[in-house]
Amino acid sequence: LDRRVRSGTWQITPDAPMPAFRSMTFATVGLGRIAQGVLDRARPFGFRLAAYDPHVSDDAFERAGVDRLDLDALFAEADIVSLHCPLTSETAHLVSAERLAQMKPTAILVNTARGGLIDEAALIDTLTHKRIAGAALDVFTEEPVEPDNPLLRLDNVLPLPHIGGHSEDNLKRMVGHWAS
């Protein structure tokens, strides 16, 4: 729709149905401080909130007002999957071809955590064949991302240059942290 408006096409009806947020599930992989902040920002829009985090207690999920899902259920049920976990040997390529195949064709994948969490070749294939609606990527496997990376040519990808956490205040805090 953004590209249509920029090209001079004003069409107020979308190509595909747009469900109300209250009928959608917003899910995070991880339920740490950042993931909880993201879910708190989604809460006023009426999403069902869910997460997967094997390191967090059921009580923490209950206090956060978030449904606990296993990874298979999360990828199958979520309309928006937002990644908020570290890159470790257990989480490398957590978002594999198999996980992407579990997602709804209308789902959106968001990665502001680490590029290596996603199998980029599998994501490129999934997005090229429109098996999910799209991806918003603030991080890539290789950074800076190469200009010939196929993800940059896909209309259903919103790429950013690893600046999702950058604000004037955050930059000051990071510089202070690095200086100490």
Side-chain angles (χ1 to χ4, degrees):
L1 297 175
D2 167 76
R3 286 172 184 82
R4 265 197 226 144
V5 172
R6 290 176 189 271
S7 71
T9 302
W10 189 264
Q11 178 183 339
I12 62 170
T13 55
D15 291 337
M18 293 178 66
F21 291 157
R22 69 181 171 276
S23 67
M24 297 172 70
T25 297
F26 190 115
T28 60
V29 176
L31 192 61
R33 181 181 51 83
I34 294 171
Q36 286 188 40
V38 168
L39 290 166
D40 285 345
R41 286 164 178 80
R43 187 180 314 279
F45 293 98
F47 287 101
R48 170 191 175 214
L49 303 178
Y52 164 80
D53 195 323
H55 307 291
V56 174
S57 71
D58 288 340
D59 288 344
F61 272 83
E62 191 173 317
R63 283 192 308 276
V66 174
D67 294 340
R68 180 189 283 273
L69 296 176
D70 64 35
L71 275 175
D72 289 334
L74 184 141
F75 277 89
E77 295 177 25
D79 297 282
I80 300 169
V81 174
S82 189
L83 305 178
H84 300 279
C85 58
L87 179 59
T88 66
S89 58
E90 290 83 29
T91 62
H93 287 190
L94 176 84
V95 183
S96 61
E98 295 77 21
R99 290 250 190 275
L100 290 164
Q102 292 175 305
M103 295 179 76
K104 299 175 183 180
T106 55
I108 296 169
L109 178 65
V110 179
N111 189 6
T112 58
R114 296 289 178 258
L117 296 172
I118 298 174
D119 176 343
E120 271 189 18
L123 181 61
I124 290 164
D125 182 63
T126 297
L127 291 167
T128 298
H129 293 96
K130 310 247 188 247
R131 290 191 290 265
I132 66 171
L137 306 171
D138 187 43
V139 291
F140 295 84
T141 301
E142 297 292 326
E143 293 182 353
V145 66
E146 292 295 325
D148 63 346
N149 185 315
L151 289 167
L152 302 182
R153 292 191 299 275
L154 296 172
D155 286 340
N156 52 356
V157 174
L158 175 63
L160 295 172
H162 203 148
I163 61 164
H166 289 210
S167 67
E168 235 177 89
D169 188 49
N170 281 347
L171 288 174
K172 287 177 189 173
R173 279 195 296 240
M174 283 190 282
V175 168
H177 173 74
W178 291 328
S180 52

